Amino acid sequence: MSDIAKLQIGENTYEFPLIQGTEKETAIDIASLRGATGGVVTIDPGFKNTGSCQSAITFLDGEKGILRYRGYSIEELAEKADFLEVAYLLIFGELPTKEQLDKFYNDILDNAIVDDDIKKIIDAFPKNAHPMGVLSSLTSALTAFNPSSVNVDSEEDMYNAIVKIMGKFPVLVAWTMRKQKGLPLHYGSRKLGYVENIMKMMFEKPNEEYEINPIIKDAIDKLLILHADHEQNCSTSTVRVVGSSHAGLFASLSAGISALWGPLHGGANQAVLEMLEAIKEDGGDTKKYMGKAKDKEDPFRLMGFGHRVYKNFDPRAKIIKVAADEVLDDLGIQDPILDIAKGLEQEALNDEYFVKRKLYPNVDFYSGIIYRALGIPVEMFTVMFALGRLPGWISQWREMRLRKEPIGRPRQVYTGENYRPFVKINKR
Ligand code: SDX
């Protein structure tokens, strides 16, 4: 294949270099387009055909259903690694030695205390505030208590901001949930691991010694790993664009949390459970909901189905579906919602509308069934997604800053009024 792309506009032919990634993906580098053509730009709503950056962090193949973090397959990482190890891999590029991982975790523990004044901010929220809105606000508020995290030009400043947020974010997640339940705001313990601490802070009751259930610990570990990164999705692109203005890490993450909240993105895991509950209340009539999903006049979508990149099974959904069976079985839970989900999946996989559009279950379709079995409230499901995606956001923000990427500022095609002179109000 030639290493240039040719573009014909009118009488003129323009040439642009082709670049190829390590997995043989090819892109047209149009950095010179406006200058060469006297102002012509491309347009691509939703960026369905547009790459925003070159990145060495995560590789997806949507046709083959492949997902790898720094070259390691999601199947192996979900099976053999733990979440903190995967966080280190994503952020720093290599699986850590024991010494490296121990130092990373000790630095995180040294930074896992949150200024008590943050509790005043949590208290100001109504009890029924959605936890994603609370979490986004608290994450941004962290900047006020940690100003050094903003101007991070040195790798050392960056590392300090990273261990701060890796330590404080789980506390904010736990406190957000506990506040809703009217429970006291606790801390973890240096004697526990990263995920065990999350469990203790989230689930510990004030009048009992918290026991770590290994089934729940393994399930949360696996779910967090599966959510850890996903290349240039909506929320990660948001983190990158906000960070490209040299806004601090915490402000960039706060923006990413807001983007993830949307039901078309991370908010889908909550929407899936609400949809499955509605179907159950409706006597399990999946056919009615399939009909609604296909009806162009009906805004209803089959939540947890479809994906911008995966036009085959989302590999994470496959793993989570198996884990859902295992966790519910291990915990002795019979949840009719799981059977409804499986029935819906089977129907969709055999339905011409879904098959033609290559709509398969995505990461959000089964995850909520496990979260529910673990006793996590439905409005906290997307917060769990954010907890998993934290190291991915951090790694992408760090890569963008280290590569000194330019500020993100897209162009447009103007379709408004041409010039017209101002008219005084008494003449209108
Ligand atoms: C995540 O990008 C990432 O990597 C995201 C994520 C990550 O890890 O960061 O993987 C996490 O966000 C997973 C997706 C969670 N969202 C949902 O489950 C919400 C339901 N799904 C959809 O809204 C939709 O599939 C999207 C948003 C996920 C993808 O939308 P696209 O790529 O913009 O596709 P589209 O909206 O243009 O749909 C193409 C066609 C349309 O029909 P036609 O106009 O061709 O007739 O498929 C239809 C859509 O109407 N369609 C659906 C559908 N999803 C797409 N029809 C019914 N139900 C659905 N779920």
Side-chain angles (χ1 to χ4, degrees):
M1 177 171 75
S2 102
D3 55 4
I4 56 153
K6 289 188 177 178
L7 176 66
Q8 179 92 29
I9 302 179
E11 296 301 307
N12 301 317
T13 303
Y14 304 91
E15 294 188 348
F16 301 96
L18 289 177
I19 57 173
Q20 204 164 65
T22 48
E23 287 290 341
K24 307 291 175 251
E25 298 151 297
T26 301
I28 305 168
D29 178 347
I30 57 164
S32 61
L33 176 66
R34 281 194 86 253
T37 59
V40 172
V41 296
T42 62
I43 193 149
D44 182 22
F47 313 115
K48 294 190 174 187
N49 306 282
T50 300
S52 60
C53 61
Q54 298 185 54
S55 176
I57 299 170
T58 291
F59 171 68
L60 303 189
D61 181 318
E63 277 61 40
K64 296 183 188 137
I66 291 172
L67 170 57
R68 296 188 199 125
Y69 298 158
R70 300 284 190 182
Y72 296 96
S73 79
I74 194 64
E75 291 79 7
E76 281 206 87
L77 291 171
E79 199 50 47
K80 300 172 184 170
D82 72 32
F83 178 57
L84 193 64
E85 221 176 347
V86 169
Y88 187 101
L89 169 67
L90 284 167
I91 295 169
F92 302 109
E94 297 295 336
L95 284 169
T97 62
K98 184 161 180 349
E99 294 68 31
Q100 287 170 326
L101 191 59
D102 289 347
K103 177 182 182 320
F104 186 48
Y105 189 41
N106 281 323
D107 293 343
I108 288 171
L109 287 170
D110 288 346
N111 287 277
I113 304 300
V114 169
D115 191 296
D116 231 38
D117 283 348
I118 284 271
K119 291 178 181 171
K120 293 177 187 154
I121 303 175
I122 297 181
D123 287 340
F125 283 98
K127 243 200 175 64
N128 62 352
H130 195 289
M132 283 297 276
V134 175
L135 189 63
S136 173
S137 308
L138 296 179
T139 303
S140 187
L142 279 181
T143 308
F145 299 93
N146 304 274
S148 65
S149 68
V150 182
N151 303 313
V152 282
D153 289 325
S154 74
E155 283 219 45
E156 188 197 352
D157 289 349
M158 219 172 272
Y159 181 81
N160 291 333
I162 289 169
V163 292
K164 278 193 171 91
I165 195 67
M166 283 295 291
K168 299 177 194 308
F169 196 74
V171 178
L172 299 182
V173 165
W175 285 7
T176 300
M177 183 169 104
R178 295 179 74 88
K179 188 66 198 167
Q180 262 205 345
K181 293 180 159 208
L183 289 170
L185 307 184
H186 281 181
Y187 272 102
S189 151
R190 290 192 80 101
K191 299 191 189 77
L192 294 174
Y194 192 74
V195 170
E196 287 90 341
N197 259 328
I198 291 170
M199 293 167 65
K200 172 178 165 56
M201 290 190 286
M202 285 179 74
F203 302 120
E204 183 172 52
K205 295 222 179 10
N207 60 350
E208 67 183 23
E209 190 60 32
Y210 185 66
E211 289 281 311
I212 299 288
N213 177 329
I215 296 164
I216 295 179
K217 187 263 173 194
D218 289 346
I220 292 179
D221 224 335
K222 186 173 278 190
L223 283 166
L224 295 177
I225 288 170
L226 292 168
H227 285 82
D229 194 52
H230 217 238
E231 55 133 280
Q232 306 312 316
N233 59 84
C234 177
S235 53
T236 299
S237 301
T238 303
V239 169
R240 276 183 170 256
V241 167
V242 172
S244 71
S245 74
H246 288 194
L249 174 57
F250 303 166
S252 306
L253 293 172
S254 171
I257 294 165
S258 297
L260 187 71
W261 191 356
L264 294 187
H265 190 13
N269 58 15
Q270 173 177 344
V272 167
L273 241 292
E274 290 162 350
M275 173 185 74
L276 294 172
E277 283 285 11
I279 294 174
K280 181 169 147 254
E281 292 313 307
D282 220 348
D285 181 3
T286 49
K287 287 211 178 330
K288 172 180 161 189
Y289 285 82
M290 287 288 287
K292 283 168 63 68
K294 297 186 285 187
D295 176 358
K296 290 299 168 200
E297 300 311 308
D298 189 328
F300 175 81
R301 285 197 158 190
L302 204 61
M303 301 312 277
F305 261 79
H307 198 277
R308 172 61 58 75
V309 176
Y310 290 124
K311 300 309 171 191
N312 193 324
F313 253 90
D314 180 334
R316 302 165 298 177
K318 277 186 186 172
I319 297 169
I320 295 175
K321 180 181 175 182
V322 171
D325 271 326
E326 289 167 352
V327 170
L328 270 66
D329 196 35
D330 291 346
L331 294 174
I333 294 172
Q334 281 295 325
D335 187 347
I337 291 282
L338 179 56
D339 299 331
I340 292 176
K342 288 179 178 176
L344 208 50
E345 177 187 349
Q346 275 319 304
E347 276 192 54
L349 295 182
N350 294 297
D351 182 288
E352 198 267 335
Y353 172 96
F354 286 82
V355 172
K356 185 173 144 230
R357 293 168 178 79
K358 299 183 179 179
L359 304 175
Y360 291 87
N362 59 47
V363 66
D364 293 310
F365 190 60
Y366 286 104
S367 54
I369 292 168
I370 300 180
Y371 290 139
R372 190 161 99 138
L374 303 183
I376 295 170
V378 66
E379 62 279 351
M380 282 291 293
F381 288 4
T382 312
V383 169
M384 293 306 289
F385 192 143
L387 188 59
R389 186 53 53 89
L390 178 67
W393 286 332
I394 291 170
S395 65
Q396 300 271 351
W397 175 87
R398 181 173 180 273
E399 181 180 72
M400 176 272 300
R401 288 302 301 272
L402 290 178
R403 290 184 176 185
K404 301 192 184 323
E405 303 261 348
I407 187 167
R409 199 272 184 224
R411 304 305 297 245
Q412 64 166 24
V413 171
Y414 175 69
T415 56
E417 295 284 343
N418 298 113
Y419 172 75
R420 48 184 176 163
F422 182 79
V423 177
K424 283 196 182 332
I425 191 161
N426 57 6
K427 296 264 187 270
R428 288 174 210 161

